[in-house]
Amino acid sequence: ETLPVSRIYAETLEVEAVGIRDNMNQLSLAPNGEWAMAWYDPDAESLGVSGGVTSFNEVSFVRTDPLSHHPMAVGYNPKGVRWSDDGKLAVVVSDGSLAVVDLTQEAPSARLILLVDDPLDAPVAEEVVLSADGAFAFVRQRGVQALLVVDLVNEVVDSLVVGTDP
């Protein structure tokens, strides 16, 4: 079932909507309110917002003004998004990769950084956080004894051993 993302003007209650990819059941808004990202989260199935064909590697980015839809592939099984403080960068964590999206572009696209040698046999990603300057991402994976430290500029991935399930 296709659900739109809507923008409601508080003063007039006027509603403007744009269609997004089917079966998206999670939504996150950038801190500056200029972008939102919708994705499919299988753990949210109990919310009853699914059914039909689901893409396991695509998300929907929505520019809020002017309202427009920008679908893109971001890697297998996206788990969520972190926004830079200024809302100009989005980093989407998936099980085997990070997708870095420069939202200052007219038509943004994902730049993929592989987190593991074999993305088809990657540990389940659980969380990503960004450094204050947006230059590094830190990824936590289920059952792994290290945090991944990702240099987003140079696309270098290092690991920092910290113990089981940090």
Side-chain angles (χ1 to χ4, degrees):
E1 171 182 343
T2 300
L3 298 174
V5 169
S6 300
R7 179 176 62 189
I8 303 170
Y9 293 91
E11 291 179 7
T12 64
L13 297 182
E14 176 187 348
V15 178
E16 186 179 359
V18 64
I20 61 172
R21 293 202 50 81
D22 290 347
N23 298 314
M24 302 292 161
N25 61 8
Q26 294 291 332
L27 184 69
S28 176
L29 183 66
N32 63 6
E34 293 179 7
W35 288 90
M37 188 189 91
W39 71 98
Y40 171 74
D41 178 0
D43 294 334
E45 279 294 311
S46 63
L47 299 176
V49 185
S50 188
V53 177
T54 300
S55 172
F56 292 101
N57 69 347
E58 290 183 298
V59 299
S60 286
F61 275 89
V62 176
R63 185 187 309 262
T64 59
D65 191 24
L67 196 59
S68 58
H69 176 227
H70 302 266
M72 65 183 74
V74 294
Y76 179 71
N77 204 12
K79 300 291 191 207
V81 61
R82 287 289 186 250
W83 310 92
S84 60
D85 288 343
D86 62 7
K88 296 179 188 283
L89 180 75
V91 176
V92 182
V93 66
S94 298
D95 286 344
S97 61
L98 281 182
V100 180
V101 183
D102 179 355
L103 298 170
T104 64
Q105 301 299 312
E106 184 65 30
S109 61
R111 177 173 50 95
L112 294 181
I113 300 173
L114 289 181
L115 298 175
V116 294
D117 292 334
D118 183 3
L120 298 177
D121 190 31
V124 174
E126 291 193 319
E127 184 178 19
V128 63
V129 294
L130 293 179
S131 61
D133 64 0
F136 291 90
F138 304 89
V139 178
R140 187 170 56 88
Q141 298 169 306
R142 187 175 303 148
V144 175
Q145 295 191 14
L147 291 174
L148 296 180
V149 181
V150 183
D151 178 335
L152 298 177
V153 175
N154 298 306
E155 299 185 10
V156 174
V157 179
D158 288 314
S159 62
L160 176 64
V161 176
V162 293
T164 303
D165 284 331

